[in-house]
Amino acid sequence: MNAQAKAAPDPQPTRARWMSTLARATSTELEAAWEKIEEHPRYALLRQPETGLVMVRGLAGGTGSPFNLGEMTVTRCAVRLADGTVGHCYAAGRDKRKAELAAVFDALMQGAEAGRVEETVITPLARRQAAERERVSRKAAATKVDFFTMVRGDNPG
Amino acid sequence: MYVAVKGGERAILNSHKLIAETRRGDGQVPELSVRQIGEQLGLAVDRVMTEGSVYDRELAALAIKQAQGDLVEAIFLLRAYRTTLPRFAVSEPIDTATMLVQRRVSAAYKDIPGGQVLGPTYDYTHRLLDFALAAEEGVGLPEAPEAEAPLDEGMPHVADILDHEGLIEEERPDSEGAEVFDLTREPMSFPAGRDQRLQNLARGDEGFVLALGYSTQRGYGGNHPFAGEIRMGEVSVEIVPEELGFAIDIGDVVVSECQMINQFEGSKEKPPQFTRGYGLSFGHNERKVMAMALVDRALRAREMGETAMYPAQDEEFVLYHADNVEAAGFVSHLKLPHYVDFQAELNLIRKLRQEHQDRLEKEAAE
């Protein structure tokens, strides 16, 4: 199923992938993942969690020139681990705690702990998100029209 | 002219208390939560997000609760809140071809790649009041069936099918990197580009845009439209933060999109071909995006070399009157004290009446 529908050209495809997974997580999920870590890493807030707007653009006709559709709320945060690694988060919505935890996990994913964080945090989140998308798509698919042609004089009974 | 009037403070304070009580309604009835509004009045939330021009379901639901269900007031609240937030970035254009489709229909082609997907729609309901929804015990937890397989990934736009044959005008970006007009930062200007018009229509009042779209169908505009495609679902939003320098995906928004296909007789330069009208909104707003697509096409009269004869083709008329926050503000300002103005008018009328009377008497005397 299409957890990653778009394969945008990207110099850091891997980081973009986990950042997108973290941005889509709920704060409950990230809080639970944080609680599971035995030794919490120390980190400093480079940028306090902050809510602002992103102007969302559409394209005329879906493929033409861009226009401004409207804004969406976004919360961002940046943290620095004790070893100097910097983690970022930009996530739709106004959840500050989530943005902070996502930035910490982004930083951890760039360090020695990456393998473990990938396995215990990113992969389960990505799996849950893909399953949710698949569920939405299956429900839509159940409303797909199966056309059949009625043949004159062929009505039963 | 308005003058500062003192003395209404207590009346205003008590009026606030009265509206709070009125909004709460009968205390025997449980209070509505913002989450309930978000979940169970979702289409109202979608309209408020679109015209309030901020995608945030919780904020829109809160605005609806605060405005006691008055959606135009809720839109005003959301617009006002928006001005308190900094803008971090402008997104990359959303790609509706990669939508996680929940609904997708075409009235132009029966057999489209990916199929006709009805999704959650009231189109095929009987429009009879459903008293089951009024039952004390509620409706429980209805569950929709799931198909064995999900829909095809990346459904192509129906207009692209015609595009391959050259039967419909191409829709390509005008020029890379051109400034995109932003109504939230610059005043309206004319002649308006399509970017300005589409932003205005997307934020525009649904009722106004619907009535204008309707007028084009009834002869006040030369459209002969087909609903080439209507689709609704989630699209991801990407930004390129300066500190990162690469695109990241910040989450999904649900959008509705409509591509109208219209006749075009051709001109000296162009052969006859179909032309496009486009509608896009946040959330599930099908009526709005269909109407928007009709008006978008009507407003393209100038570029098509058509004579603009009707209201829907007149961009100054449409763009200046589509915004319901501005419209409601200007109509509502009539409620502000005009005491001095009105005194002056009274004096004038009295004077004119006196002159009129004098003239009649003079004529009678002659």
Side-chain angles (χ1 to χ4, degrees):
Chain A
M1 185 43 205
N2 51 342
Q4 294 296 318
K6 250 193 299 191
D10 194 326
Q12 301 198 27
T14 324
R15 187 163 176 211
R17 172 187 58 81
W18 77 59
M19 285 183 80
S20 124
T21 304
L22 289 167
R24 283 184 171 75
T26 66
S27 65
T28 316
E29 287 173 323
L30 293 184
E31 201 72 70
W34 180 247
E35 287 310 317
K36 271 191 222 153
I37 297 179
E38 281 164 20
E39 232 175 285
H40 284 168
R42 293 164 62 86
Y43 64 90
L45 288 172
L46 272 187
R47 180 192 271 146
Q48 293 279 348
E50 177 192 16
T51 297
L53 299 165
V54 162
M55 174 56 91
V56 180
R57 286 208 170 140
L59 296 175
T63 50
S65 294
F67 69 96
N68 290 310
L69 171 63
E71 289 163 310
M72 65 190 283
T73 54
V74 175
T75 301
R76 67 181 176 188
C77 182
V79 301
R80 184 169 50 211
L81 301 182
D83 68 3
T85 314
V86 174
H88 288 278
C89 171
Y90 278 82
R94 287 170 297 117
D95 192 333
K96 290 183 174 167
R97 180 65 179 155
K98 164 180 150 179
E100 182 174 331
L101 289 173
V104 174
F105 283 119
D106 174 47
L108 292 176
M109 280 298 291
Q110 298 169 62
E113 293 292 294
R116 206 158 58 92
V117 177
E118 170 86 45
E119 193 186 323
T120 59
V121 183
I122 306 294
T123 306
L125 286 175
R127 202 175 290 142
R128 197 271 301 159
Q129 290 164 15
E132 176 60 23
R133 287 176 65 90
E134 169 146 349
R135 198 178 59 85
V136 168
S137 192
R138 280 175 189 264
K139 289 201 173 179
T143 69
K144 191 158 125 180
V145 181
D146 284 322
F147 285 105
F148 54 89
T149 310
M150 302 237 260
V151 181
R152 216 172 280 206
D154 200 28
N155 296 341
Chain B
M1 179 187 172
Y2 328 116
V3 286
V5 182
K6 284 205 160 196
E9 288 91 344
R10 198 177 45 189
I12 289 171
L13 216 63
N14 287 342
S15 159
H16 289 168
K17 288 176 180 161
L18 186 54
I19 192 68
E21 184 188 305
T22 311
R23 173 168 56 216
R24 174 60 182 87
D26 184 348
Q28 302 295 310
V29 178
E31 185 181 339
L32 260 181
S33 75
V34 168
R35 281 195 71 189
Q36 284 174 324
I37 295 170
E39 293 298 320
Q40 295 172 41
L41 295 178
L43 297 180
V45 168
D46 288 346
R47 181 175 171 194
V48 171
M49 292 196 303
T50 298
E51 294 171 40
S53 214
V54 178
Y55 194 101
D56 188 310
R57 299 199 71 81
E58 283 172 25
L59 289 179
L62 171 60
I64 290 167
K65 179 171 178 176
Q66 187 176 332
Q68 220 183 320
D70 177 344
L71 298 190
V72 175
E73 178 76 13
I75 288 159
F76 188 2
L77 292 170
L78 199 55
R79 292 261 190 102
Y81 180 80
R82 173 205 161 268
T83 62
T84 66
L85 296 175
R87 184 184 289 178
F88 292 160
V90 170
S91 83
E92 300 293 294
I94 54 173
D95 183 0
T96 51
T98 62
M99 178 183 281
L100 176 65
V101 168
Q102 291 178 44
R103 169 164 168 79
R104 189 273 206 129
V105 291
S106 170
Y109 284 105
K110 178 165 69 75
D111 298 307
I112 42 177
Q116 307 264 2
V117 181
L118 304 183
T121 177
Y122 291 106
D123 283 358
Y124 311 98
T125 60
H126 292 108
R127 266 67 182 232
L128 300 172
L129 275 179
D130 181 359
F131 288 96
L133 291 168
E136 275 293 312
E137 64 275 18
V139 293
L141 296 168
E143 209 168 310
E146 287 179 31
E148 283 192 6
L151 293 170
D152 298 346
E153 267 181 56
M155 283 196 197
H157 282 123
V158 170
D160 295 344
I161 302 169
L162 286 164
D163 206 4
H164 290 312
E165 288 185 69
L167 297 176
I168 192 164
E169 59 168 337
E170 282 193 318
E171 191 79 77
R172 302 275 172 266
D174 289 337
S175 52
E176 286 293 330
E179 278 288 303
V180 179
F181 193 93
D182 189 351
L183 277 171
T184 67
R185 306 213 152 167
E186 15 188 345
M188 207 89 84
S189 82
F190 295 99
R194 197 163 174 210
D195 51 352
Q196 182 184 340
R197 300 194 304 249
L198 286 170
Q199 185 183 12
N200 174 278
L201 292 173
R203 290 158 62 91
D205 182 75
E206 180 174 317
F208 180 76
V209 178
L210 176 66
L212 281 174
Y214 181 40
S215 76
T216 68
Q217 290 180 282
R218 293 194 61 263
Y220 294 85
N223 296 4
H224 190 276
F226 292 92
E229 182 175 359
I230 295 158
R231 59 167 69 192
M232 184 273 291
E234 277 178 14
V235 292
S236 67
V237 179
E238 283 189 350
I239 60 170
V240 182
E242 273 176 27
E243 64 273 32
L244 290 173
F246 59 91
I248 55 166
D249 174 351
I250 58 174
D252 301 303
V253 291
V254 173
V255 297
S256 300
E257 181 186 52
C258 174
Q259 305 257 9
M260 283 286 178
I261 299 173
N262 299 270
Q263 282 176 357
F264 178 58
E265 291 166 358
S267 63
K268 268 187 204 148
E269 294 80 33
K270 287 180 179 172
Q273 64 177 176
F274 291 116
T275 57
R276 301 172 187 240
Y278 188 65
L280 185 68
S281 81
F282 286 146
H284 193 180
N285 269 303
E286 200 157 299
R287 196 188 303 120
K288 170 69 181 283
V289 292
M290 291 182 76
M292 177 175 169
L294 292 173
V295 180
D296 171 47
R297 175 58 187 84
L299 287 175
R300 297 180 66 204
R302 184 166 27 88
E303 95 190 62
M304 298 288 172
E306 298 161 345
T307 318
M309 293 189 293
Y310 302 108
Q313 296 170 315
D314 180 338
E315 62 179 23
E316 288 199 31
F317 178 78
V318 175
L319 269 58
Y320 271 129
H321 301 112
D323 194 287
N324 58 26
V325 175
E326 284 171 19
F330 202 55
V331 169
S332 298
H333 104 282
L334 295 174
K335 291 187 287 191
L336 291 173
H338 285 68
Y339 304 144
V340 176
D341 264 4
F342 192 66
Q343 273 307 319
E345 293 277 315
L346 261 182
N347 291 342
L348 182 66
I349 287 283
R350 285 195 180 114
K351 186 165 160 257
L352 291 173
R353 286 176 63 92
Q354 189 60 53
E355 284 170 10
H356 179 73
Q357 186 67 26
D358 291 351
R359 200 163 51 241
L360 286 182
E361 281 170 14
K362 197 176 157 200
E363 278 169 18
E366 283 166 8

